[in-house]
Amino acid sequence: MNRKDFFAKVGFGAAAALLPACIAGIASSCSSDSSSTSTPVPAPASVDFILDVSTGSLNANGGFLVTNGIVVARTNLGTFIAVSASCTHEGTNVNYNVSNNNFVCPNHNAKFSSTGVVTQGPASTNLKQYNTSLTGNTLRVYS
Ligand code: FES
């Protein structure tokens, strides 16, 4: 069997194996719909964790990260803010925009203040704000 024959048989076999799954809607790779961003993830209700801000994206003003369903950002003033990460429109994680000190959804451009209040739709529900407390390089994020 040469290479061409091998790939022809393997390719046909894989297609034959996936076809029934696609028809039944089982194989996620067959779908172009991204259900992970179609429904907002509820804001975490009870939160209490710590982050080391001596390294990584929170080491510099303007940096942010998403962890435990929360976006944690370091403002231009060096203070820390935290809100639920999942956009209340369709669930895409929001980004921190240091220039405007707000959170922006990259999906449909909803905007939220630094405290999570909707300032531009299509989102109509606020993000949940969490408390932050810095001791040395240890940042506590809690509800
Ligand atoms: S998912 Fe955020 S604005 Fe639509």
Side-chain angles (χ1 to χ4, degrees):
M1 175 185 306
N2 65 29
R3 211 169 106 177
K4 184 178 174 184
D5 291 341
F6 173 79
F7 284 116
K9 288 183 180 179
V10 170
F12 177 76
L18 281 174
L19 185 58
C22 288
I23 291 170
I26 295 169
S28 61
S29 61
C30 300
S31 172
S32 61
D33 180 36
S34 177
S35 60
S36 64
T37 59
S38 62
T39 305
V41 176
S46 181
V47 169
D48 197 346
F49 62 89
I50 59 170
L51 296 169
D52 178 5
V53 300
S54 66
T55 62
S57 56
L58 293 177
N59 189 30
N61 292 353
F64 72 95
L65 57 78
V66 174
T67 183
N68 300 311
I70 295 172
V71 55
V72 182
R74 184 170 183 155
T75 71
N76 247 345
L77 300 174
T79 58
F80 291 90
I81 54 178
V83 298
S84 51
S86 177
C87 178
T88 55
H89 179 229
E90 290 186 354
T92 303
N93 281 349
V94 298
N95 296 322
Y96 177 64
N97 180 325
V98 68
S99 300
N100 297 321
N101 190 33
N102 66 356
F103 296 94
V104 179
C105 178
N107 202 0
H108 308 110
N109 208 35
K111 293 182 176 144
F112 305 86
S113 73
S114 61
T115 59
V117 175
V118 175
T119 57
Q120 177 177 299
S124 59
T125 304
N126 297 339
L127 301 173
K128 179 178 172 61
Q129 183 181 23
Y130 297 91
N131 301 305
T132 61
S133 173
L134 184 66
T135 304
N137 284 318
T138 301
L139 180 68
R140 180 183 176 209
V141 179
Y142 59 103
S143 49

